[in-house]
């Protein structure tokens, strides 16, 4: 007979896997209790899992090598995990934020389109982005002179700077201005304007620290006035799959349409997210989305080779499937603090 696997749930999404077997050669005799105890400890260490609850009846499980960090800051639950399949992964409020092996998909899609659409980008303000990957991609552009990365959570920034080796150079770059503050408050108090503003924020969950930064009032009254004349705004916009795009993606897109003249939604599959993901790019100037021109700019402007994005890939990412396109066309919800939409999950404030 084969092995039966039973998932034993623990707090904060962590679990162990218990194996049951009928193989005769695996039967441990009574006089081998010490060996059995040692094997149990070793098995428990080898078979640790993390479970992300995507929905009430749906979980996404990751086998772990070890837990690098687990704790609760003032703002959110944080875990940095070393997984067997996806490498190091950052989990905030129980939600996968990025994985070492495929984060390049998310961050290339987030950062390079607005920089390539802009005629001569020099300054960028990143809301969130504490792990440093968004800043890393932005700093590859030769024209960039200053990147402000504003994250609310010092603890996230500190352990990402320590453990995510791919971003060590970005954190040391003299063009990076790292600020620990609420992005809304930081933008309000700053007098300068930016060529690009990026929303690299955690997903809006009930009780989380970020949902106010997806509202029409924030985009209209605080963010847009901080963009230069040719300025471009881009934000991650949550799950965008056939079954998940109505959670927040369509609402974020429709909200931004009420603030900017030219708005495009685009998507890509991110394996570690177990879904298609969405972004929204916006400006009051026309967005140049042409494969040949984007490829030319990639060759001229960016140090090193992109792993995922080229002109054709970006153009194709703006072509949405029929179900999602229809929802975006008919969406009427405008994101506001008093009628916010959330993805499944809870933030620290809600649990308290």
């Amino acid at each position: 007979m084969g092995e039966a696997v039973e998932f034993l749930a623990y707090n904060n999404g962590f679990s162990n896997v218990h194996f049951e077997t009928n193989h005769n050669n695996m039967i441990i005799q009574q006089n081998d209790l010490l060996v059995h105890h040692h094997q149990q400890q070793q098995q428990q260490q080898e078979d640790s899992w993390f479970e992300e609850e995507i929905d009430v009846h749906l979980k996404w499980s990751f086998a772990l090598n070890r837990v690098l960090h687990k704790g609760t800051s003032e703002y959110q639950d944080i875990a940095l995990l070393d997984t067997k399949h996806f490498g190091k992964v950052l989990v905030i409020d129980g939600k996968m934020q990025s994985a070492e092996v495929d984060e390049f998909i998310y961050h290339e899609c987030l950062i390079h389109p607005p920089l390539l659409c802009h005629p001569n980008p020099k300054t960028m303000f990143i809301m969130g982005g504490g792990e440093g990957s968004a800043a890393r991609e932005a700093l590859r552009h030769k024209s960039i002179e200053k990147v402000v990365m504003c994250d609310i959570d010092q603890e996230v920034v500190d352990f990402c700077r320590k453990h995510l080796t791919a971003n060590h150079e970005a954190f040391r770059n003299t063009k990076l201005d790292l600020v620990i503050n609420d992005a809304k408050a930081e933008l309000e108090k700053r007098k300068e304007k930016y060529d690009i503003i990026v929303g690299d924020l955690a997903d809006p969950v009930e009780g989380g620290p970020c949902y106010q930064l997806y509202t029409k009032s924030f985009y209209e009254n605080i963010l847009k006035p901080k963009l230069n004349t040719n300025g471009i705004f881009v934000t991650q916009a949550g799950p965008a799959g056939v079954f998940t795009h109505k959670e927040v993606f369509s609402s974020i897109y429709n909200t931004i349409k009420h603030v900017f003249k030219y708005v495009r939604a685009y998507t890509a599959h991110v394996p570690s997210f177990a879904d298609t993901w969405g972004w929204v790019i916006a400006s009051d100037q026309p967005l140049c989305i042409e494969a040949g021109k984007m490829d030319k700019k990639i060759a001229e402007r960016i140090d090193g080779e992109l792993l995922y994005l080229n002109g054709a890939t970006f153009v194709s990412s703006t072509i949405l499937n029929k179900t999602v396109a229809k929802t975006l066309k008919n969406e009427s919800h405008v994101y506001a603090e008093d009628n916010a939409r959330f993805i499944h999950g809870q933030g620290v404030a809600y649990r308290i």
Side-chain angles (χ1 to χ4, degrees), residues 133-234:
S133 299
R136 179 198 70 215
E137 293 300 316
L139 291 165
R140 297 175 64 183
H141 283 252
K142 299 170 185 177
S143 66
I144 284 291
E145 298 175 355
K146 181 180 181 180
V147 174
V148 179
M149 184 177 82
C150 181
D151 197 284
I152 197 171
D153 204 322
Q154 180 77 61
E155 190 170 347
V156 169
V157 173
D158 285 346
F159 74 73
C160 286
R161 179 158 46 185
K162 177 180 178 181
H163 291 288
L164 300 183
T165 56
N167 298 335
H168 282 176
E169 287 188 18
F171 278 111
R172 291 193 294 261
N173 196 303
T174 56
K175 295 180 181 180
L176 179 66
D177 179 12
L178 174 59
V179 179
I180 304 299
N181 195 7
D182 173 71
K184 179 180 178 181
E186 189 66 26
L187 277 175
E188 279 184 304
K189 77 176 187 179
R190 285 183 173 245
K191 295 181 180 180
E192 66 264 35
K193 294 185 177 183
Y194 302 91
D195 295 322
I196 310 289
I197 296 180
V198 177
D200 188 17
L201 301 162
D203 302 317
V205 296
E206 197 163 6
C210 297
Y211 77 93
Q212 296 179 10
L213 302 185
Y214 292 95
T215 61
K216 180 176 181 288
S217 61
F218 171 69
Y219 292 149
E220 193 169 49
N221 301 323
I222 298 174
L223 185 147
K224 188 175 179 179
K226 297 299 182 180
L227 283 171
N228 286 322
T229 301
N230 291 320
I232 298 175
F233 169 57
V234 67

Side-chain angles (χ1 to χ4, degrees), residues 14 50 64-71 77-83 86-93 95-100 131 155-165 167:
F14 291 91
F50 178 81
L64 303 180
N65 291 317
R66 61 188 178 124
V67 178
L68 298 172
H69 175 93
K70 183 173 67 167
D77 281 336
I78 307 162
L80 187 63
L81 314 175
D82 181 10
T83 71
F86 292 112
K88 295 173 184 175
V89 305
L90 175 64
V91 178
I92 293 181
D93 284 333
K95 299 294 181 182
M96 169 76 77
Q97 300 301 308
S98 74
E100 191 174 31
E131 69 180 270
E155 190 170 347
V156 169
V157 173
D158 285 346
F159 74 73
C160 286
R161 179 158 46 185
K162 177 180 178 181
H163 291 288
L164 300 183
T165 56
N167 298 335

Side-chain angles (χ1 to χ4, degrees), residues 82-115:
D82 181 10
T83 71
K84 294 181 183 295
H85 192 78
F86 292 112
K88 295 173 184 175
V89 305
L90 175 64
V91 178
I92 293 181
D93 284 333
K95 299 294 181 182
M96 169 76 77
Q97 300 301 308
S98 74
E100 191 174 31
V101 301
D102 66 2
E103 56 86 4
F104 67 91
I105 301 173
Y106 170 92
H107 289 104
E108 287 187 13
C109 287
L110 175 70
I111 295 299
H112 297 299
L115 285 164

